[in-house]
């Protein structure tokens, strides 16, 4: 799940901040909209735009919850359980490149182009996965989805940074989180029912129909309020080819490391070395200086986003597979075990948006990461037969509450520390940290899972009753417990997001 922010060019007052130092730049950061005129994110001024972009997030949310429910069955039928982590990480790998491209595209030409292109690519990727005849073709479709998703997520941040004043940004972030509530409940039910009665392919083929409504609703509103460059009078800067090449390097490097982690043989050392060689300079060139050492201010905000998202996504990706194969749940019930998380995520995002809690944002983020770590550590307890399966649902509800506070807060802080003309580049850095951490931690978790026998897991509901040997609790524990440790590191990083101690 993600959150997003915007300003209308040429009409704002106030100050922006340098994206690396957090110091005052004197650049307009938001449009002053009289309260009587704006009436909040659903007032007359912003209603069409808010409904449109929230609909886009709703589509992404429905896809994430539905696809996660169908994934164990798809992997089994395509004989791809050993490549299970690839089905998730392929999305994030290609999105890394698309994020940088989207940031430059949106800063120079406005967010309308990357948003429309991204939504279209997202739908095409779903169709490719839904018609795949092999696991690698399925993964290729997920990669196309990632290109679309990377374009969309950064473009949405730029829309918010241009179209909404700063005081409304926490509210639109909360609205984005709230848009996950219905998909979190309906998505697993719908996807599980379709998977069990019609087949998993229809989950992927059916979702692109939902693309039409967000496009029809969002694009006209964005064209009116946030199209074109941030400063129409300024000359359009050429694309930064160096950053685009670095983005390509970060995607290729992450993909090679993921491949090497899955192969687990001496021949895999070569792609691992090449991947590492591509990844390190690309990360140094695309993320703010000091990110690796958690420097205070923007670098820690960017690092925290990656630590939080990566640890949570890597763990969550294996929850349905664990419940289906180890506890015999149907795909529908396994997906519903995470349904409550949509509501608690929205609640956490709502909590951080309260103005009176703004002085305590750092403490909220630290507490949120502690909740995330506890939830991830508690999930594999269901590998013990006498532990009730609803333990996962309860734990994940608390973890999602923590994530709601953390993810929305990192988005708010990023735009607070960014000048308007830097919103695209800095939003891309935030999303790169998010996506790269997802890829690397999924690669590490997938490698550990496969090394401890996870590839032999039988992904069939009722396998235990049929006498199939599919119990590999150690393989799942090797994913969850290290991710809980990573989340605890995130609690320390969260304490460093303030520019001054």
């Amino acid at each position: 799940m993600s959150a997003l922010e915007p300003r209308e060019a040429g009409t704002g007052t106030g100050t922006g901040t340098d994206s690396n130092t957090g110091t005052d730049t004197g650049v307009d950061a938001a449009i002053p909209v009289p309260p009587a005129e704006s009436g909040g994110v659903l007032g007359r001024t912003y209603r069409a735009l808010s409904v449109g972009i929230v609909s886009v997030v709703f589509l992404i949310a429905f896809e994430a919850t539905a696809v996660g429910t169908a994934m164990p069955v798809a992997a089994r039928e395509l004989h791809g359980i050993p490549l299970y982590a690839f089905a998730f990480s392929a999305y994030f790998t290609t999105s890394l490149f698309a994020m940088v491209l989207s940031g430059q595209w949106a800063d120079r030409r406005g967010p309308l182009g990357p948003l429309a292109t991204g939504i279209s690519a997202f739908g095409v990727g779903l169709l490719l996965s839904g018609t795949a005849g092999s696991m690698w073709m399925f993964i290729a479709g997920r990669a196309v989805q990632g290109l679309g998703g990377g374009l969309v997520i950064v473009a949405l941040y730029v829309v918010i940074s241009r179209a909404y004043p700063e005081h409304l940004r926490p509210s639109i972030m909360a609205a984005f989180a709230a848009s996950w509530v219905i998909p979190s409940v309906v998505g697993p039910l719908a996807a599980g029912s379709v998977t069990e009665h019609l087949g998993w392919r229809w989950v992927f083929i059916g979702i692109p129909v939902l693309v039409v409504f967000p496009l029809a609703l969002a694009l006209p509103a964005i064209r009116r309020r946030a199209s074109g460059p941030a400063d129409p009078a300024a000359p359009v800067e050429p694309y930064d080819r160096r950053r685009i090449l670095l983005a390509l390097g970060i995607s290729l490097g992450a993909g090679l490391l993921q491949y090497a982690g899955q192969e687990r043989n001496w021949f895999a050392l070569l792609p691992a070395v090449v991947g590492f060689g591509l990844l390190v300079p690309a990360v140094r060139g695309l993320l703010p200086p000091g990110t690796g050492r958690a420097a205070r201010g923007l670098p820690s905000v960017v690092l925290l986003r990656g630590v939080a998202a990566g640890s949570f996504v890597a763990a969550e990706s294996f929850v349905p597979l664990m419940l289906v194969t180890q506890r015999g749940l149907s795909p529908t019930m396994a997906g519903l075990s995470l349904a409550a998380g949509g509501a608690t995520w929205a609640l956490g995002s709502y909590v951080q948006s309260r103005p009176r809690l703004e002085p305590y944002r750092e403490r909220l983020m630290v507490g949120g990461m502690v909740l995330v770590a506890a939830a991830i550590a508690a999930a594999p307890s269901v590998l013990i037969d006498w532990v009730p399966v609803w333990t996962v649902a309860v734990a994940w509800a608390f973890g999602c509450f923590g994530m709601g506070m953390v993810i929305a807060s990192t988005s708010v802080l990023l735009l607070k520390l960014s000048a308007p003309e830097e919103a695209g580049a800095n939003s891309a850095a935030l999303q790169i940290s998010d996506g790269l951490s997802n890829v690397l931690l999924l690669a590490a978790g997938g490698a550990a899972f496969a090394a401890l026998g996870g590839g032999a897991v039988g992904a069939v509901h009722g396998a235990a009753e049929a006498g199939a040997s599919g119990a590999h609790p150690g393989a799942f524990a090797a994913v969850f417990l290290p991710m809980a440790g990573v989340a605890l590191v995130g609690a320390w990083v969260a304490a460093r997001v303030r520019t001054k101690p």
Side-chain angles (χ1 to χ4, degrees):
M1 303 183 191
S2 293
L4 316 166
E5 310 189 28
R7 173 189 84 93
E8 191 144 323
T11 61
T13 61
T15 57
T17 53
D18 183 85
S19 62
N20 293 323
T21 65
T23 55
D24 191 353
T25 63
V27 182
D28 289 355
I31 314 168
V33 179
E37 178 190 346
S38 69
V41 296
L42 290 179
R44 178 171 55 86
T45 303
Y46 298 106
R47 185 181 299 121
L49 179 62
S50 297
V51 172
I53 61 177
V54 167
S55 297
V56 174
V57 178
F58 182 91
L59 166 67
I60 295 173
F62 188 83
E63 181 274 340
T65 55
V67 167
T69 300
M71 196 73 78
V73 178
R76 171 178 60 87
E77 292 192 3
L78 293 174
H79 308 289
I81 292 293
L83 300 175
Y84 186 78
F86 259 127
F88 291 95
S89 62
Y91 179 99
F92 298 115
T93 300
T94 55
S95 70
L96 293 171
F97 173 75
M99 288 169 188
V100 175
L101 179 62
S102 181
Q104 295 203 31
W105 189 352
D107 281 343
R108 287 158 177 76
R109 302 292 182 182
L112 190 62
L115 186 64
T117 304
I119 293 177
S120 301
F122 194 79
V124 170
L126 282 165
L127 291 174
L128 288 175
S129 290
T131 57
S134 68
M135 191 63 175
W136 282 113
M137 285 299 297
F138 179 87
I139 291 170
R142 293 286 290 165
V144 174
Q145 262 189 272
L147 288 172
L151 290 172
V152 168
I153 194 68
V154 173
L156 283 176
Y157 271 88
V158 177
V159 169
I160 299 173
S161 70
R162 294 189 186 180
Y164 293 85
E166 186 173 337
H167 74 277
L168 288 182
R169 293 173 184 171
S171 297
I172 195 65
M173 297 296 180
F176 283 166
S179 69
W180 281 77
V181 175
I182 294 177
S184 295
V185 177
V186 176
L189 278 173
S193 298
V194 170
T195 298
E196 292 175 27
H197 295 98
L198 298 178
W200 63 268
R201 295 182 184 277
W202 288 101
V203 174
F204 290 84
I205 295 172
I207 291 176
V209 177
L210 302 176
V211 169
V212 177
F213 178 72
L215 278 175
L217 197 60
L219 297 187
I222 293 172
R223 184 178 290 110
R224 289 193 301 270
R225 298 196 58 83
S227 62
D231 185 358
V236 178
E237 296 291 332
Y239 284 88
D240 188 338
R241 295 183 179 180
R242 175 179 173 274
R243 287 184 65 84
I244 292 177
L245 288 175
L246 288 175
L248 183 60
I250 207 172
S251 293
L252 289 175
L256 288 171
L257 285 176
Q258 168 77 359
Y259 174 79
Q262 290 292 130
E263 288 300 304
R264 305 186 328 276
N265 57 47
W266 289 107
F267 295 104
L269 286 177
L270 179 59
V273 171
V274 174
F276 188 78
L278 289 170
L279 201 60
V280 172
V283 169
R284 290 173 62 87
L286 292 173
L287 299 186
T291 299
R293 55 185 172 83
R296 289 190 176 274
L298 184 64
S300 284
V301 172
V302 172
L303 179 61
L304 176 61
R305 179 58 164 264
V307 171
S311 59
F312 189 81
V313 168
E316 186 178 58
S317 298
F318 283 86
V319 169
L321 185 65
M322 178 176 66
L323 294 177
V324 168
T325 62
Q326 306 301 294
R327 295 303 295 264
L329 268 67
S330 68
T332 303
M333 294 306 297
L336 282 175
S337 67
L338 306 177
T344 57
W345 189 304
L347 179 60
S349 186
Y350 172 81
V351 167
Q352 67 79 36
S353 72
R354 298 301 85 198
R356 66 175 177 271
L357 293 179
E358 178 63 31
Y360 308 103
R361 186 175 295 279
E362 177 186 332
R363 296 181 186 178
L364 291 175
M365 296 168 77
V366 172
M369 289 309 303
V370 171
L371 286 175
V372 171
I376 295 173
S381 65
V382 299
L383 294 168
I384 303 171
D385 289 340
W386 54 263
V387 175
V389 292
W390 51 259
T391 301
V392 170
V394 174
W396 228 246
F398 280 99
C400 286
F401 178 79
M403 284 293 287
M405 291 192 293
V406 172
I407 297 299
S409 290
T410 57
S411 301
V412 170
L413 288 173
L414 176 100
L415 293 178
K416 185 177 182 180
L417 296 173
S418 300
E421 67 275 11
E422 297 172 328
N426 288 347
S427 297
L430 188 76
Q431 295 301 325
I432 287 170
S433 178
D434 187 317
L436 179 61
S437 181
N438 288 338
V439 172
L440 295 181
L441 292 180
L442 273 167
F449 179 74
L452 292 178
V457 166
V460 188
H461 171 50
E465 290 82 347
S469 177
H472 291 273
F476 288 99
V479 175
F480 288 98
L481 298 183
M483 296 308 151
V486 173
L488 278 179
V489 172
W492 172 76
V493 177
R496 299 180 57 80
V497 296
R498 286 186 180 177
T499 305
K500 295 181 180 179

